[in-house]
Amino acid sequence: MADPIEALELDVQADAGHRGQLQARVPASAQTTLLWLPALGVTARHYLPFADALAARGVAVFVHEWRGHGSSNLRADRRNNWGYRELLTLDLPASEAVIAQRVPQAARVIGGHSLGGQLACCRLGLSPHTAERLWLVASGAPYWRAFPSPTRYWLPFAYRFLNWLAHGSGALPGRRIGFGGQEARGVIDDWSRTGLSGRYAAAGLDVDLDAAMGAATPDIRGVAMLHDWLGPESSLRFLVSKLRHAPHRIDVFDEVALGARADHYAWMKQPQRVVERLLD
């Protein structure tokens, strides 16, 4: 008989001004939990097929909601601004606390898609005991030198332009320009800084995130997509190199391996083969 799976929306209170929900799929006898971090501008509900596929294999999945999106009570604008510091030190610990209360004494995995994978790495640098394993799917550092040509040549201009646009508009109008969502200018500040320099930092956080990641030793499973120009294999390998003492395995999926277009997003609707590889 299949293990019963609860479909839950769990309230998370990160600080006095921010609250949201975790989208959760929790098998009754789960021995492993995954905290999954979405891509820039993608709401938690888009990962429910992925969560369902993992829950069917016995993993309790909790999909984080980024501040400013989906179930979050905040929206980025001229008055409401935040950056990596708030995401890493307020919002993620709040989700971790809810998971620990819901499924205590389980093995912990953290992971993410695109920006979510980057911030999962940063979180492990700040709190190495957050998880024993790290899963990265269609993720990678935005550093322009980690991309193949010709993309690498125009990326620095894109980072400067998006940062200028976010500050001029009060927040990045991602829906209007076709990249991300309504993103806080502080998030774009921190993201574009990494894109230009190759180093991770969070404004207002007095921690060398690169050095902190270098001390983390989770077991890493990474999946890159062959036709993913937003997160090519080279950028994923650059990101993983930040956790220089961590054992890792990276697989690259083409259309045959994935059973779908091997790009940045298609796997979200057909996640079964990604799930099998992560659990292999």
Side-chain angles (χ1 to χ4, degrees), residues 177-200:
I177 65 173
F179 177 77
Q182 184 82 358
E183 307 296 344
R185 58 190 182 276
V187 169
I188 300 302
D189 274 341
D190 291 334
W191 171 77
S192 62
R193 183 187 306 110
T194 301
L196 292 169
S197 70
R199 293 189 61 82
Y200 283 89

Side-chain angles (χ1 to χ4, degrees), residues 9-97:
E9 294 181 347
L10 302 173
D11 293 333
V12 180
Q13 184 79 43
D15 57 31
H18 179 236
R19 61 183 182 276
Q21 291 181 322
L22 285 168
Q23 296 286 336
R25 296 293 185 267
V26 184
S29 57
Q31 299 299 308
T32 301
T33 68
L34 168 65
L35 173 57
W36 188 253
L37 312 185
L40 185 75
V42 180
T43 58
R45 61 185 176 82
H46 286 95
Y47 296 94
L48 290 180
F50 179 59
D52 288 334
L54 279 165
R57 300 286 296 271
V59 179
V61 182
F62 300 82
V63 186
H64 185 75
E65 191 83 89
W66 288 129
R67 184 178 291 227
H69 298 285
S71 63
S72 170
N73 68 311
L74 295 178
R75 292 295 181 267
D77 54 29
R78 292 192 184 278
R79 292 177 300 172
N80 293 301
N81 186 41
W82 53 84
Y84 285 6
R85 182 183 68 83
E86 289 82 358
L87 304 184
L88 290 169
T89 66
L90 297 175
D91 298 354
L92 290 181
S95 287
E96 292 164 11

Side-chain angles (χ1 to χ4, degrees), residues 158 161-162 165-166 169 171-181 188:
F161 170 73
L162 292 172
L165 182 60
S169 304
L172 182 71
R175 296 281 180 262
R176 196 186 318 157
I177 65 173
F179 177 77
I188 300 302

Side-chain angles (χ1 to χ4, degrees), residues 124-125 128 210-218 242-245:
L124 283 171
D210 265 33
M213 282 190 279
T217 58
K242 300 284 188 181
L243 293 85
R244 55 185 177 272
H245 299 300

